[in-house]
Amino acid sequence: MNNVLINGVNYAWTNVTWMWYTLPLIGIKSISYEATQKTELNYGAGVFPISESVGNYEYKGEIEVYLDEWNKIIAASPNKDPMQIPRSDFQVVFGGSRVLAKADVLQQVKFTNDPVQVKQNDGSIVIKLTLSIAGIKHI
């Protein structure tokens, strides 16, 4: 059997850079974000939908950062409170020498929590942060 590389190289963790306030964040362990839009089927006479209603877009996200990275963000925040940091864009940049460069801009992001959880035998301390996002733009 001939194993030919048909589709080239896929994006990988090593191809992702996170930019916040034009600075790269290196202590990020994971990120997730999504956009959803409420849709609803409308019913009239009979048992089948006759139309569709669409509602607002909603955005949500989470990141996990190492405690030392989070401490840097806290130290730079107003009154050492990361939830007082003004909303700003957060860029997730996908790039590298063998993949097509692209970016997702999480627009007007704000931290909504300041948690810490540590357990016995943890080899590292990871902080799970919830993000309030006003929009997602794919560029």
Side-chain angles (χ1 to χ4, degrees):
M1 178 175 206
N2 187 0
N3 292 330
V4 177
L5 184 62
I6 295 173
N7 293 323
V9 176
N10 282 321
Y11 295 106
W13 185 255
T14 59
N15 301 112
V16 184
T17 305
W18 298 269
M19 304 293 289
W20 184 56
Y21 282 118
T22 70
L23 300 172
L25 296 177
I26 59 171
I28 293 182
K29 185 167 175 66
S30 71
I31 187 167
S32 65
Y33 50 92
E34 70 176 339
T36 58
Q37 183 180 28
K38 181 179 179 179
T39 61
E40 185 176 326
L41 295 174
N42 302 315
Y43 292 85
V47 297
F48 299 105
I50 59 170
S51 64
E52 175 186 42
S53 297
V54 294
N56 295 337
Y57 276 85
E58 293 183 8
Y59 307 92
K60 63 181 178 180
E62 290 183 341
I63 61 172
E64 291 183 318
V65 299
Y66 290 105
L67 180 59
D68 59 337
E69 188 80 42
W70 185 233
N71 285 338
K72 292 174 192 173
I73 293 169
I74 290 171
S77 64
N79 302 313
K80 305 235 185 291
D81 181 353
M83 291 180 286
Q84 291 185 21
I85 297 171
R87 288 185 176 271
S88 63
D89 290 352
F90 188 98
Q91 292 186 11
V92 183
V93 181
F94 301 86
S97 62
R98 298 177 64 195
V99 294
L100 180 64
K102 71 173 283 302
D104 291 340
V105 179
L106 310 183
Q107 298 174 312
Q108 299 300 301
V109 174
K110 186 164 184 67
F111 296 115
T112 63
N113 63 338
D114 182 10
V116 175
Q117 181 179 8
V118 182
K119 303 183 295 294
Q120 191 276 334
N121 202 34
D122 280 349
S124 60
I125 300 173
V126 177
I127 308 301
K128 188 173 187 177
L129 302 165
T130 305
L131 305 175
S132 170
I133 303 170
I136 299 173
K137 183 176 179 182
H138 303 289
I139 55 175

